[in-house]
Amino acid sequence: MIRQFLPRFLLVLASTFVVSASHAETLIASAEKAPNEITIGVIPGGNPEEVRQQGLALAKELQGKINIPVNIYVSKNYVGLIEAMKTKKVDFAFFTSSTYVFAEQQAQAKVLLKKVWNHPYYYSAVVVPANSKIKKLEDLKGKRIAFVDEKSSSGYLYPKVALLKKGLDEKSFKDVKFSGNHAASIQMLESNEVDAVATFSDDEKGKDGAWIKFGKTKKKFRVIWVSAPIPNDPFCVRQDFYDEYPKITHTLMFTLIDILEQASDKNIYSEILGTQNLMPATSKQYDPVREMVKALNIELKP
């Protein structure tokens, strides 16, 4: 189920589930005690409604394959997902790269996999309407800007570093808003609520990103800044869950990989799993994000 939003989905009967390779055999043959249920947390960073719909479908497919009830917990915001893992409301979570850095410290998050969209990395971009007189970051002084969330890598932290280097802080703007997700930021830009937004870009040249994915009008946009590469969003487990259920953790990992690899439509779970594949990840791969957080002197607290 998706807690708070969707009704519970009953476990598929064992006689009907299909399992790839030997992952299910590993789980069934294991003497390891299985948890009563597994809860996976996600952040509605893109389109919240699609996250909820895809989450329900993914929970149904996962629990049919591993024969353990699976819940999807959609957090209201980035900090909420960290807190959910810390208080053991979720066992696994899809974090953003920066949220993972905080969750590692606060909730003992252990990275397992990372999403892949078009590339192993993604980018932050600052976007304005195509006809705007804003040409560079310095031109944003006195303007209205929307960020996503204070723990968002592409939607706040990376652009904040760039803005500070140009001598701009939040007092430099006429108005600063936090939209809560990337789709909402684009809607603000389309409705002229703000003059610029910080959001994600799929490539280093800013040719594709949130403004293409979530734009609902024919309004055209222009990218005025793109960040350095950001490590893709990681899939993590709570350390104590991993310690108690290591085989089940790995079974779930490989099942997620198989689901995406075998999907005829790679966009079926795009809001949660990405669109290409899931790759093994290590904590060290997120050192650039830790350096960014350190540069901003952000305290590791909710």
Side-chain angles (χ1 to χ4, degrees), residues 54-247:
Q54 291 182 15
L56 181 60
L58 179 61
K60 178 179 178 180
E61 184 168 1
L62 265 176
Q63 66 188 35
K65 289 181 180 294
I66 67 175
N67 202 24
I68 298 174
V70 176
N71 306 314
I72 299 292
Y73 179 94
V74 180
S75 177
K76 292 181 179 179
N77 53 44
Y78 290 58
V79 171
L81 187 54
I82 299 173
E83 186 65 18
M85 178 167 278
K86 183 178 179 180
T87 56
K88 301 186 179 182
K89 290 181 180 178
V90 302
D91 308 303
F92 297 85
F94 284 98
F95 290 113
T96 64
S97 55
S98 58
T99 309
Y100 158 62
V101 170
F102 293 101
E104 183 182 44
Q105 296 293 324
Q106 298 170 17
Q108 287 71 57
K110 175 182 174 66
V111 64
L112 301 171
L113 303 169
K114 64 179 179 180
K115 302 179 188 179
V116 176
W117 282 276
N118 298 319
H119 307 284
Y121 298 91
Y122 69 110
Y123 303 81
S124 172
V126 174
V127 184
V128 300
N131 61 357
S132 172
K133 293 182 180 180
I134 300 171
K135 306 296 183 183
K136 54 187 183 298
L137 293 181
E138 293 93 324
D139 296 338
L140 290 170
K141 186 174 182 179
K143 305 299 183 182
R144 303 166 300 164
I145 189 168
F147 298 106
V148 173
D149 185 284
E150 290 183 345
K151 292 291 192 295
S152 172
S153 302
S154 62
Y156 182 63
L157 296 175
Y158 273 77
K160 182 177 181 179
V161 171
L163 289 166
L164 287 173
K165 289 181 178 178
K166 299 296 183 181
L168 301 176
D169 59 20
E170 292 187 18
K171 295 179 181 179
S172 303
F173 305 107
K174 180 179 180 179
D175 188 30
V176 175
K177 296 181 182 294
F178 287 93
S179 68
N181 61 73
H182 293 277
S185 288
I186 299 305
Q187 289 171 17
M188 285 182 176
L189 194 58
E190 287 182 322
S191 62
N192 296 316
E193 291 181 55
V194 295
D195 303 305
V197 299
T199 188
F200 71 81
S201 173
D202 290 330
D203 62 276
E204 62 186 353
K205 295 183 179 180
K207 292 183 177 180
D208 195 6
W211 59 98
I212 302 294
K213 183 175 183 181
F214 302 123
K216 294 184 177 180
T217 69
K218 294 182 179 180
K219 191 168 184 176
K220 295 182 179 180
F221 303 106
R222 177 164 42 82
V223 175
I224 65 168
W225 171 85
V226 177
S227 74
I230 305 172
N232 276 344
D233 297 350
F235 177 63
C236 303
V237 64
R238 207 177 64 243
Q239 183 67 56
D240 65 303
F241 183 96
Y242 179 83
D243 292 341
E244 187 171 0
Y245 306 110
K247 292 182 180 179

Side-chain angles (χ1 to χ4, degrees), residues 4 47 50 130 167 191 216 227 296:
Q4 302 174 342
N47 185 316
E50 286 190 15
S191 62
K216 294 184 177 180
S227 74
L296 289 173

